[in-house]
Amino acid sequence: MPFIDVKRLSVHDPVQQSHLVANITFSLHRQRCLAVIGESGSGKSTIAKTLIGLISPSLKVDGEIIFDGEKLTTQTVKGWRGKRIGFISQDAMNAFNPIETIGHQMIETFHQHLGLRGKEGELHAIAGLESVHLKNPYQLMKTYPYELSGGMLQRVMIAITMMLSPDVIIADEPTASLDAYNRREVIMQLQRMKEETGAALIVISHDLGVVQAIADELLVMHQGVMLEHGSAAKIFTSPQHPQTKHLLETRLRLSKPLEALRQQNRMEAAPC
């Protein structure tokens, strides 16, 4: 039985009289990763926000979202967000309160969702920071969000999600604006979450390198419509829809100069 079962999901904007996404259907089992790809404005983030219950109340949502055998409603998803449904935002800087320390925000989150207090919550936070290989966790707990880089904040967000051990993790552009090293680190942490917690993972991304590294299944979006859905390996090697072929060819062509530069840098850095 699928852990997540989405049936005929549509999101309609009554003001603009348009569908943001239309008739989206897919299912996902535990310890599997579904990547959702498509051009900007294709509806990728709308799907993520709908699943996590962060869609604007002005929009009309139709269809069904079955989560662990239970139909999601506005109230149930609010109750499950954080503990059972983890969300990693693409905008790490704005995901944190700028006037509270990182440690305070982590401990408050663990108190709210896990009931941990005081020293117990602090130790849980430190263990999370260590799990994503952030140095000097005690000192890091005392810092404010603006004192950390986007990559570090992204890893803090992943640490919080990991320590909550959710059943499903939704990551919206988790590697956006990160350098090559931090992208690799984030991919490794997402893989670890899937393998160690048994979570189902949904990754929204335009980065085909990330998608190829982590996805078991692929859902291709275009102008709010699902073009293809199936094995990631099969779609990458034998895309069926012309728009999918165009998307993959364009992304891979754009990434070739960067990959060539990376290879050159590796060769120059290699010891003689």
Side-chain angles (χ1 to χ4, degrees), residues 6-76:
V6 176
K7 301 178 180 179
R8 302 175 301 280
L9 178 67
S10 296
V11 179
H12 181 72
D13 185 340
V15 176
Q16 299 295 326
Q17 288 295 301
S18 63
H19 275 91
L20 303 182
V21 297
N23 200 31
I24 307 300
T25 296
F26 65 86
S27 59
L28 188 64
H29 289 80
R30 283 186 177 276
Q31 285 192 307
R32 298 282 290 178
C33 174
L34 169 71
V36 184
I37 68 170
E39 76 279 6
S40 297
S42 62
K44 304 186 303 294
S45 292
T46 298
I47 292 174
K49 290 177 181 177
T50 304
L51 293 175
I52 200 67
L54 294 177
I55 201 75
S56 170
S58 66
L59 300 176
K60 185 177 185 296
V61 179
D62 293 313
E64 284 187 336
I65 303 172
I66 309 298
F67 175 77
D68 197 17
E70 184 174 345
K71 183 177 178 179
L72 276 189
T73 65
T74 303
Q75 292 305 313
T76 55

Side-chain angles (χ1 to χ4, degrees), residues 145-171:
Y146 66 85
E147 297 179 280
L148 304 181
S149 68
M152 293 180 75
L153 286 174
Q154 199 80 336
R155 288 158 72 185
V156 171
M157 200 183 308
I158 290 173
I160 294 170
T161 303
M162 284 185 68
M163 298 309 286
L164 291 174
S165 298
D167 296 306
V168 58
I169 300 159
I170 300 171

Side-chain angles (χ1 to χ4, degrees), residues 90-148:
Q90 62 178 295
D91 189 1
M93 186 63 72
N94 288 326
F96 292 91
N97 185 336
I99 63 172
E100 298 286 0
T101 64
I102 292 295
H104 176 83
Q105 293 181 68
M106 292 184 74
I107 293 169
E108 281 295 303
T109 300
F110 297 144
H111 178 208
Q112 178 183 353
H113 294 293
L114 303 178
L116 301 181
R117 297 175 181 273
K119 192 67 175 178
E120 194 177 12
E122 180 182 346
L123 292 175
H124 203 65
I126 289 169
L129 296 175
E130 290 176 339
S131 76
V132 295
H133 308 295
L134 284 168
K135 298 178 180 179
N136 303 318
Y138 285 95
Q139 187 62 36
L140 186 60
M141 296 261 289
K142 300 175 184 177
T143 63
Y144 290 87
Y146 66 85
E147 297 179 280
L148 304 181

